Amino acid sequence: MLINIGKKKSLKDIQGNTPDLAKLKQTSKIAVIDDNPFLKAGALAAHNFQLAELGDIRRIDQVSEYPIVVCDIRGVGLEFGSPLEGAHVLAEIRKLYPDKFLVAYSGTESDMSYNDLLRAVDVSVPKDAHTEVWVSVLEDGLKKIGDPFNRWIRFRTQLSQRGVDASEIYRLEQAFLKSIDKRDSSIFEKVASSINAPEVVAEFAKVAMKQLVNFAIAAAVTS
């Protein structure tokens, strides 16, 4: 049994520990899932967003490294065999990566509410939305995934909803806070591997925790 020794940390200790928006744009890649070229790619690149057009993905883990995922809800997800197409893909991404910021888009506004699965996304955007709308949505997404306080709350809420024991969530939270404080993702990884927790915890330790530690380092440099 692991025994936690030392001062307990509080979530308020990490509030405000976020890189500026320019740094987040520079260091955070945004995945785009679409069977066609993303029409706003050029305009968003001009606004310094780092986009990676993945086409139509074959596996959910193809988006593991991307904290923000933009997905068309029509014409994608063919490998998954669901008639719900992109809405199914987004729902599956949310299951495995509950901390990611998910954006759904489609050619018609009516598509945005056609499926209950779209409740899994953070925001829905019409495909023909003005560039200013896309800039606002993606900047908001970067601020959310770059904020360790916000990202942990998103993740912790999902753990609770999935029935993870409160004592294990507390241990994970303390490890998370220590990882941010010490700029060392291995602290969280060790605790995550020592408890009986769902796969999402291992995935968070593998990717998100490392991203947040890097963000914390960047925030310290720019502060």
Side-chain angles (χ1 to χ4, degrees), residues 6 15 49 96 121 190 213:
Q15 286 183 300
F49 292 102
L96 190 56
V121 308
K190 289 176 183 176
V213 164

Side-chain angles (χ1 to χ4, degrees), residues 84-100:
L84 302 178
E85 304 176 283
H88 173 78
V89 172
L90 285 162
E92 291 300 303
I93 292 172
R94 178 62 78 212
K95 287 180 186 177
L96 190 56
Y97 306 106
D99 62 295
K100 292 189 186 298

